[in-house]
Amino acid sequence: QYQTNMRVLPAILFLAAFVGINADIRLPDPSWAIEVKPDPSSKPLLKSSNPFYLRDDVTCDKIFSCASCSTSRVCRPKEDGSLLHYVDIPCPDDRPYCDTDSGTCLSTASMQCGADDNFICLEKDHFFPDSDCKQFHYCDNNFVPKLFKCIEEGSVYNAIEQRCVAQVNDNSCGKFDCDGNTLKKMKHSNFPRYYAMCKNDENAGGPLVVGVCPPYYQIGETSQVCEPDCNAHGIGNIPDASDCKKYFTCSEVSLLDGKTYMQRTSKSCPNGNSYDPKLFMCVPDPDGTICKP
């Protein structure tokens, strides 16, 4: 019995120490922590009259999301694992766009959060410059347009960089030269890949639609179709947008008077090869991975 008591005694001492430790955790020393009592005079958050707070008609699928393109939403978990709407907060002026992925407010707009737009999309998942150089359009994968505007004062949209940049001078804007060019395709003065089919009606001189040529191409003023642009590309090769087994070589030709111009020559890849636009050269393509039939 003595041996039994000796075995039981350490267990009792351990249990007593464990209870004492947990008692300290449950009941902290009042010198550094006290229990917070509810303030009976304060109004519960759930009964707030603020329209941005709790709404019963909201179904939450994640804790942080966007109530709108300019409003962040926070939901809280319930005991059953579902989410309950907690609060909607408008984004501040310096970060006016709610990011749909993170639910936080950013200075750059989410592609789902542009303004309703009457722009006609000729390409999907693509950006287009607007006649107003402080604005631009985005066409999503369903050819649905959204209108965006540069936020920073003195910034304009740059179609090459596909973002808003500081306006250096009046030429930073550029335009579609539609004046007097009704039903003619005119390239953008700064971004020659982009062109407008011009119209001349109640909105005189404005574009009817805006299109885009393949990379290193621009609209031909005479042909009115997209043509390889050696001046934009420089010396080297350009893909043939109409035939993936061909390409163009751009080379500089010098004249006797010292002037130079860019010459474009059409070439074909060897049999069994296709032109790789990423490598700017012909490569073996036995399975048609690059040049799909």
Side-chain angles (χ1 to χ4, degrees):
Q1 183 177 359
Y2 174 77
Q3 292 179 346
T4 301
N5 291 338
M6 290 302 292
R7 288 196 297 270
V8 172
L9 182 59
I12 294 175
L13 292 175
F14 175 80
L15 179 61
F18 180 81
V19 172
I21 292 172
N22 279 271
D24 287 341
I25 295 174
R26 289 196 300 270
L27 301 173
D29 184 344
S31 67
W32 61 268
I34 61 173
E35 183 181 358
V36 177
K37 301 291 185 181
D39 181 0
S41 64
S42 65
K43 294 182 179 180
L45 177 64
L46 301 184
K47 295 182 180 180
S48 170
S49 60
N50 189 326
F52 292 111
Y53 282 96
L54 181 72
R55 291 172 51 187
D56 296 329
D57 61 338
V58 172
T59 301
C60 297
D61 57 358
K62 54 184 179 179
I63 293 178
F64 302 106
S65 61
C66 293
S68 71
C69 291
S70 59
T71 306
S72 178
R73 169 166 290 166
V74 180
C75 298
R76 61 182 179 86
K78 297 168 60 178
E79 291 182 358
D80 61 2
S82 62
L83 294 175
L84 180 67
H85 178 253
Y86 176 57
V87 63
D88 291 346
I89 306 175
C91 290
D93 292 340
D94 62 332
R95 291 177 291 115
Y97 302 114
C98 184
D99 176 55
T100 53
D101 293 327
S102 65
T104 53
C105 296
L106 304 176
S107 59
T108 56
S110 167
M111 291 301 97
Q112 289 77 32
C113 287
D116 291 339
D117 198 358
N118 58 3
F119 183 80
I120 303 299
C121 291
L122 302 183
E123 299 281 344
K124 61 183 180 179
D125 191 21
H126 201 91
F127 295 92
F128 291 88
D130 186 70
S131 296
D132 179 350
C133 60
K134 297 182 182 298
Q135 298 185 156
F136 62 97
H137 310 270
Y138 173 69
C139 294
D140 67 15
N141 283 318
N142 295 315
F143 294 93
V144 176
K146 290 290 184 180
L147 178 64
F148 294 88
K149 184 176 182 179
C150 296
I151 299 175
E152 288 190 32
E153 188 69 26
S155 63
V156 294
Y157 179 70
N158 185 299
I160 296 176
E161 300 185 30
Q162 295 192 348
R163 65 186 183 92
C164 294
V165 300
Q167 181 175 356
V168 178
N169 52 45
D170 292 342
N171 294 328
S172 299
C173 260
K175 64 175 184 177
F176 295 109
D177 186 16
C178 279
D179 297 336
N181 290 302
T182 305
L183 294 182
K184 186 176 181 181
K185 298 173 186 173
M186 299 299 295
K187 65 184 177 183
H188 193 280
S189 58
N190 284 14
F191 317 117
R193 272 191 70 193
Y194 296 87
Y195 61 89
M197 171 69 85
C198 297
K199 64 178 181 178
N200 190 13
D201 51 18
E202 69 278 4
N203 298 316
L208 179 65
V209 291
V210 177
V212 59
C213 291
Y216 310 115
Y217 279 63
Q218 67 174 359
I219 199 72
E221 292 188 5
T222 302
S223 67
Q224 289 289 283
V225 297
C226 292
E227 299 176 344
D229 183 12
C230 283
N231 290 321
H233 179 269
I235 298 174
N237 298 329
I238 297 178
D240 187 326
S242 62
D243 190 335
C244 53
K245 293 188 177 296
K246 294 183 177 181
Y247 63 98
F248 296 96
T249 295
C250 296
S251 56
E252 188 176 72
V253 177
S254 298
L255 302 177
L256 294 177
D257 59 3
K259 296 181 180 180
T260 61
Y261 71 97
M262 297 300 297
Q263 178 174 276
R264 184 181 73 218
T265 306
S266 177
K267 295 185 177 182
S268 299
C269 292
N271 290 335
N273 284 246
S274 299
Y275 187 80
D276 189 329
K278 296 180 180 178
L279 299 178
F280 293 93
M281 61 184 296
C282 295
V283 297
D285 189 27
D287 301 325
T289 304
I290 299 172
C291 191
K292 297 179 180 179

